[in-house]
Amino acid sequence: MKGDFRARNHPAYWAFAVHRVSGLLLAVFLPFHFWVLGQALTGAESLDGFLRWTEQPLVKFAETGLVLLLAAHLTGGLRLLMLEFLAWRGWQQGLIAIAAGLSFAAALAFALNVV
Amino acid sequence: MNARSETLLWIAQRASAAVLALCVTVHLATIVYAVRGGLSAAEILNRTHGNYGWLAFYALFVAAVSIHAPIGLRTVAAETLGRRGAVLDLLTLVLGVALALWGWRAVLAVFG
Amino acid sequence: MAATLRVSVWRGAAAGRFQEFEVPRRESQTVLDVVTHIQRECDASLAYRYACRVGMCGSCAMTVNGRARWTCRTHVSKVAQDDRLEIAPLANLPVIRDLVTDMSRFFDKWAQAKGQFQGARSRRDDFARVMPDSPQRLAVDAAIECIGCGVCYSSCDVVTWNPDYLGPAALNRAWTLVNDVRDTAGAARLAAVAGDAGCHACHTHMSCTERCPKQITPTAGIAGLKRAAAAAAWRGEL
C-alpha cells in the first residue's frame, strides 16, 4: 500500500531512497552549475559577482547540503557497484553504515573549511 | 527497446558510474581544499586557465555525467509515470546531448 | 497476555474495507489459527487459503501488520502489538475475495523468465555429473529451495511500480537454471531475463531478501543475472 512503511523500514530500502533522492536533486542542480561556470566566458567579473552572492550563510548551508548529497550518492553508488559486481558476501550489508559515515565526513570537511 | 539495448544502457550507466567515482572523489577533495579562506573567480580561474590537465579532467567528468544522469532519470521517469517508450528514450538522448554541450561550454569557459 | 485479540481483516476485493473481529487469545497461537477461528466461529463467508499449515507449501501467505508472511509460521505473540492484528491479502496481486489473491500473473512471469529446466539428455544417456561443491552448484543450492509462495513478489516495490517486472522469484529461479550445468536454454533465458522488465529493473531494495521465509537472497541471484547478461551482451551473444 502506498505510504505504508511497515515493510519498507529496513536499511537497504533507506539506502535506495537516499540514492534516488540525491540523484534527482543533483540532476536538477547540474544545469544550474554549468550555467554559473559558463558565466566565466564573459570574464571573471560576472563569475565573481555570483560568487559574492554565495557568501550568505543560507547559501553556504545549501552548498554543504549539496556536498552531502554528492558524497551520499557516490558512496551509495560504490556500495551498489560492489553488490552487483562482486560475488555475494555477508559483509556487503555493512557497507551502508560505511557509506553513511563517509558522506557525513565529507560534508563536515566542507562545512568546516567553508566558514 | 530490446533486452540487448537495455543491457548495453545498464553497462554504460555502471561504467560511467565507475569513472564518476574517481572524478567525484577528486572534485570533492578539490572543492574542500579550494573553499578555504573563501572562494573567488580569480582563484578558480588561476587554477584552470590554460591548464590542459584540468581541461582533460573536466571534459571527461562532463562526458561521464552526461551518460550517467540521463539513463538514471529515464528509469525514475518510467517508474513514476508508469510508462516507457520511444518518446522517453528520445528525451533521454536529448538530455544527454544537452548536458554534454552545456558542460563542455562551462569547461571551456574556465579554461579560457 | 490479554484474553482477546482485536483483528482487522480485509473484506471485499480491490474495493473493500477492514472488518473488526474479536478472537480469543491462546498459547502458541499462529495468525493462521486466528483466521481459521474467524471463518469457523465468526463469519463463514471469509475467504482465505491454506493447505499444509506447517510451513511447507506457502499457500497461507498474507500481509500481516503490513508485512508479507506465512501465517502458519507467524506466532501471534511475535507480531501482535497491543493485542491488535491487521490481516490483508498479499500485495501486488489482484484480490479475488477477502484474503485470496489471483496468483496467475506471478506464475506466468516464472514461465516468461524461462524458469523451466531444459536438458539435452534422455533416459538412454548416462547421468550428468554435477559436483556439489562447485561454485555454480553452491549458487544453485542457495536459491533452489523456493516454493513459489509469492511473499517476495508481494514485498517488491519495483513490481508495484513496473507491472511488467518479472519479480524476484522468477528471476531467482532463472538464476538457478543459469547455473545449472545440464541446462541448454542459456541464451534464450538470458534474453528473457535481461532488460527493463527483467533483472536490470532491480534497485537492490532487498525487501525480497528481508521477507523470504526460506532465507533465500533473490537480490544476489539478480545481481548474478546482471553480470551474466552484461557479459553476454559484451560478447555479442545477447
Side-chain angles (χ1 to χ4, degrees):
Chain A
M1 219 180 295
K2 234 174 131 74
D4 185 347
F5 273 84
R6 287 176 292 182
R8 294 177 177 126
N9 194 7
H10 58 95
Y13 193 87
W14 293 117
F16 156 78
V18 164
H19 204 242
R20 180 156 285 199
V21 169
S22 63
L24 278 169
L25 291 174
L26 287 166
V28 166
F29 165 71
L30 203 57
F32 178 64
H33 189 47
F34 288 162
W35 177 76
V36 166
L37 291 167
Q39 293 292 86
L41 277 175
T42 46
E45 306 79 37
S46 47
L47 183 57
D48 250 331
F50 177 80
L51 289 173
R52 262 195 301 281
W53 174 78
T54 67
E55 289 297 305
Q56 302 167 70
L58 202 60
V59 180
K60 289 296 166 213
F61 180 73
E63 286 175 350
T64 310
L66 271 168
V67 169
L68 182 63
L69 288 175
L70 187 59
H73 199 77
L74 164 67
T75 51
L78 284 171
R79 166 182 167 265
L80 283 179
L81 288 176
M82 284 193 236
L83 285 175
E84 288 183 342
F85 285 97
L86 301 179
W88 200 266
R89 298 276 184 276
W91 57 258
Q92 276 138 333
Q93 317 298 51
L95 291 177
I96 298 175
I98 297 172
L102 288 174
S103 306
F104 282 110
L108 195 61
F110 177 81
L112 290 173
N113 276 300
V114 83
V115 293
Chain B
M1 236 192 230
N2 57 23
R4 183 183 145 73
S5 315
E6 287 161 4
T7 306
L8 291 174
L9 268 188
W10 180 88
I11 294 175
Q13 230 243 356
R14 296 319 193 250
S16 58
V19 170
L20 284 171
L22 294 163
C23 292
V24 168
T25 308
V26 169
H27 192 51
L28 276 174
T30 309
I31 298 301
V32 169
Y33 172 78
V35 295
R36 293 151 107 204
L39 198 60
S40 74
E43 268 182 56
I44 299 176
L45 296 173
N46 271 343
R47 195 175 12 250
T48 57
H49 251 303
N51 188 317
Y52 284 97
W54 283 120
L55 177 72
F57 172 75
Y58 281 117
L60 176 69
F61 198 169
V62 165
V65 86
S66 302
I67 295 170
H68 188 79
I71 298 176
L73 289 171
R74 173 181 173 270
T75 303
V76 177
E79 286 175 359
T80 314
L81 302 171
R83 335 171 342 192
R84 287 159 203 277
V87 172
L88 192 60
D89 296 341
L90 185 65
L91 283 173
T92 307
L93 180 65
V94 166
L95 182 62
V97 170
L99 278 174
L101 291 176
W102 221 342
W104 283 328
R105 172 180 177 270
V107 172
L108 285 172
V110 301
F111 176 71
Chain C
M1 194 174 83
T4 56
L5 282 167
R6 274 166 22 254
V7 187
S8 293
V9 180
W10 183 257
R11 305 305 306 274
R17 59 182 179 78
F18 281 98
Q19 186 180 359
E20 295 266 324
F21 294 95
E22 288 235 330
V23 174
R25 200 159 167 176
R26 298 206 163 88
E27 213 50 76
S28 306
Q29 197 176 32
T30 65
V31 177
L32 182 60
D33 292 334
V34 169
V35 176
T36 301
H37 174 93
I38 294 172
Q39 195 272 336
R40 289 182 185 175
E41 310 293 334
C42 307
D43 185 346
S45 70
L46 177 66
Y48 72 108
R49 266 200 198 109
Y50 78 98
C52 77
R53 67 197 182 6
V54 291
M56 281 180 58
C57 72
S59 306
C60 68
M62 302 174 205
T63 306
V64 179
N65 289 354
R67 295 192 172 111
R69 330 179 72 116
W70 291 349
T71 50
C72 71
R73 285 300 220 191
T74 303
H75 276 243
V76 168
S77 55
K78 263 195 85 177
V79 294
Q81 282 157 322
D82 309 319
D83 303 304
R84 297 198 105 267
L85 276 181
E86 186 192 276
I87 306 176
L90 283 181
N92 293 337
L93 291 164
V95 181
I96 297 175
R97 191 160 71 80
D98 302 340
L99 300 168
V100 179
T101 58
D102 181 349
M103 305 261 309
S104 331
R105 199 104 159 87
F106 173 77
F107 290 113
D108 285 345
K109 288 179 176 179
W110 200 293
Q112 273 174 255
K114 300 257 185 290
Q116 318 91 335
F117 173 78
Q118 200 168 295
R121 293 174 187 234
S122 71
R123 70 189 69 212
R124 284 168 282 279
D125 297 312
D126 193 11
F127 292 110
R129 279 171 211 289
V130 178
M131 302 312 294
D133 52 359
S134 64
Q136 284 173 309
R137 190 64 215 181
L138 289 173
V140 174
D141 288 345
I144 200 69
E145 297 293 329
C146 172
I147 58 174
C149 69
V151 162
C152 63
Y153 186 83
S154 171
S155 306
C156 178
D157 267 320
V158 181
V159 172
T160 315
W161 301 334
N162 183 354
D164 294 330
Y165 180 47
L166 293 172
L171 291 171
N172 177 71
R173 181 48 55 100
W175 174 241
T176 64
L177 293 162
V178 161
N179 282 286
D180 192 324
V181 295
R182 308 162 297 161
D183 186 85
T184 55
R189 188 171 295 110
L190 278 183
V193 301
D196 289 342
C199 62
H200 295 107
C202 169
H203 296 308
T204 340
H205 299 161
M206 296 186 66
S207 292
C208 55
T209 307
E210 274 287 308
R211 304 251 58 88
C212 176
K214 304 283 283 183
Q215 267 88 54
I216 297 173
T217 310
T219 319
I222 295 171
L225 287 175
K226 286 174 177 171
R227 292 193 294 274
W234 196 254
R235 288 193 302 265
E237 290 164 12
L238 191 62

